[in-house]
Every structure is written in structure tokens, then in C-alpha cells.
Amino acid sequence: MRSLLKEPFVQFVVLGTLLFFGHGLWERHVAKSEYTINVDTAEMERQAAIFATENRRQPTDEDLQALLFAHVEEEVLVREALKLGLGDNDTIIRRRLAQKMRFLIEDTRNMERPDESDLRTWFDANKDQFIVPEMRGFSHIYLSPEKHGDQIDDVATSLLKQVSNDNWNTLGDPFMLNRSYEPIDQIALERLMGASFAKSVFDLIGEDWQGPIESAFGLHIVKLNAVKPEIQPSFEDARAKVEAVWSETTRRSANNKRLRELIDKYDIEVDE
């Protein structure tokens, strides 16, 4: 018997038989695992916590049953969708996964506060970030192109001759935005009225009614009410903001470094 077991052919048959039965057992195990949904206590506690946050009360037994069914339903649909490859090359899913991975690699820990001398040195090298830009406050009279058509320039010229600080708010056409603005910087004004209008307002000199100035809405007669010049704050005045910007810049740099380390693990091949 021992000599028979030493024969290569017999060993091959025995090994093949063991592999056959072993593979069958493994397939049954995999199949069972594939169609088994294990809902543990931690998952139900998580679902209950979400329910309590959203509904501002603890879930009842009926609520827990509904949560369990919803979780099982979602898990079944996700598994079946993955089997069908529904997530392959889906832009929304890819972006969501990338977003979650980016969150995982980002450093959200509280960073150590910088040394005062280092922070001051960093401020000196990045002073331009903390400049408070020039700001201008103004009032304006609006003229609608739809209402005045080709006569709009003549109407504007006429308004300039009759406008005063007493009657200005009775002249012109209704306007969807404000007719007077507290001091505002040029970039903020661009967002409201367009780049051309903002530049023209910041080029104005004097406090008389001037114009017409064109915007995306139509023509405007404008009067400056206030001009606040650009300010370069000292380190002491900007101390809190400097540290906040330094922390965010340092954190972003560290996150980019970690992302670059991940990218460097891959060979990038681009078909020409």
C-alpha cells in the first residue's frame, strides 16, 4: 500500500480529488457569503443615531424595523448593481470615491501654532495677501435700454443737467439692485455690475454726478459718496488672519504632498 502511494500517478489522482472536493466546498462557502447580509449591532446603532439626529427623537421598535429593511434593501441593490457593473466608468461614482479618498488623506488634525518669529517672516514674504483693497461707496441713477432705446444717451445727458443731491432718487428707472452702496471693493462690484462698470467707478475723480457709465444692465449716472484708500496692515493688526492663512496654506501643502506621493506610485501611460 505504501509503495502504491509513492507512485506519481496515484499521488496525482489523490491530489486532484482533494482539490476537486476542496474547490466545491470553497465555492459553496463563497456562494453562501455572497448571499449573506450581516447586520451587526454597530450598524444598527449607527442607523439609530442618524435617525435620532434627523428626527430629533429616538427610534421606536417600528422605526428600527424600517431602518433594518431599508439597510438590507440598499445592500441588496448595491451588490446586484456591482455584479452588473453599473458602477463602472460612472462619473458621479468616480468623483464621489475620489472625494472620499481625498478626505481620508487630508490632514484634519490641529496643527501646532507657529513660532512668532517664523510667522512674522512668513508675513513679510506674503504681505500682498493681506492688503485691504481700496473701497468706494456710491449712488447711481439707472436708465433702461428697453425703455429708452436709441434715445438713451440723450436722456442721460439731460439727467446730468438736472440731477442734484436732493432729487436724484426720484430720477431714472426702477433698478433690481441697490441704488446706493456702502464702500465696496472693485472685485465685489464686478460681481454685481460687471467689470467695465466697476473699473469706471474706480476711475472716477471728484464727488459730482458723472457719467453715463455703462453696465450689463444699461446706463448709469454715478456719484461717489466715499473713498477708502488701500491699506497695508501691520503684522500686529493682521496677526489673527496671518496665522489662519498660514495654517491653511501649510495644511494644503502637506495634503498636496501626500497626494503627490500616491500619484508617484503609478506609471502614467497616455496613448498618442
Side-chain angles (χ1 to χ4, degrees), residues 42-106:
E43 176 59 32
M44 288 308 300
E45 289 177 348
R46 188 181 74 86
Q47 295 285 346
I50 294 174
F51 180 94
T53 300
E54 293 178 346
N55 296 275
R56 298 184 179 180
R57 65 176 177 83
Q58 293 300 317
T60 63
D61 290 342
E62 290 78 10
D63 293 327
L64 290 174
Q65 287 293 327
L67 291 172
L68 175 60
F69 178 79
H71 174 72
V72 170
E73 183 181 71
E74 180 183 83
E75 183 66 22
V76 168
L77 291 173
V78 168
R79 292 190 185 188
E80 293 300 315
L82 290 174
K83 289 178 188 177
L84 295 174
L86 299 184
D88 297 347
N89 299 318
D90 187 299
T91 302
I92 295 176
I93 293 177
R94 287 171 58 85
R95 287 177 179 172
R96 180 60 176 156
L97 290 173
Q99 182 185 48
K100 295 183 75 171
M101 190 62 204
R102 188 182 296 275
F103 177 78
L104 287 175
I105 66 174
E106 284 185 350

Side-chain angles (χ1 to χ4, degrees), residues 168-211:
W168 73 271
N169 56 356
T170 65
L171 303 176
D173 303 318
F175 188 61
M176 66 177 67
L177 302 178
N178 297 337
R179 297 195 66 176
S180 288
Y181 286 90
E182 294 298 318
I184 184 174
D185 65 68
Q186 186 169 343
I187 293 177
L189 185 55
E190 285 180 4
R191 297 193 190 102
L192 291 172
M193 308 280 279
S196 177
F197 178 87
K199 182 180 184 306
S200 296
V201 169
F202 275 76
D203 286 340
L204 292 177
I205 299 175
E207 298 181 357
D208 296 329
W209 286 95
Q210 303 175 63

Side-chain angles (χ1 to χ4, degrees), residues 74-142:
E74 180 183 83
E75 183 66 22
V76 168
L77 291 173
V78 168
R79 292 190 185 188
E80 293 300 315
L82 290 174
K83 289 178 188 177
L84 295 174
L86 299 184
D88 297 347
N89 299 318
D90 187 299
T91 302
I92 295 176
I93 293 177
R94 287 171 58 85
R95 287 177 179 172
R96 180 60 176 156
L97 290 173
Q99 182 185 48
K100 295 183 75 171
M101 190 62 204
R102 188 182 296 275
F103 177 78
L104 287 175
I105 66 174
E106 284 185 350
D107 187 356
T108 57
R109 297 169 298 176
N110 291 327
M111 303 186 67
E112 293 184 4
R113 299 189 66 176
D115 179 84
E116 193 74 7
S117 61
D118 291 340
L119 191 62
R120 186 181 292 273
T121 299
W122 185 85
F123 169 75
D124 290 338
N126 296 274
K127 280 185 176 181
D128 290 350
Q129 294 188 43
F130 303 96
I131 291 176
V132 179
E134 177 185 348
M135 305 177 76
R136 295 192 167 201
F138 64 94
S139 299
H140 71 102
I141 302 169
Y142 170 65

Side-chain angles (χ1 to χ4, degrees), residues 1-12 14:
M1 183 67 177
R2 291 181 179 177
S3 61
L4 183 62
L5 291 175
K6 292 180 180 180
E7 291 294 327
F9 177 75
V10 175
Q11 292 177 350
F12 176 78
V14 172

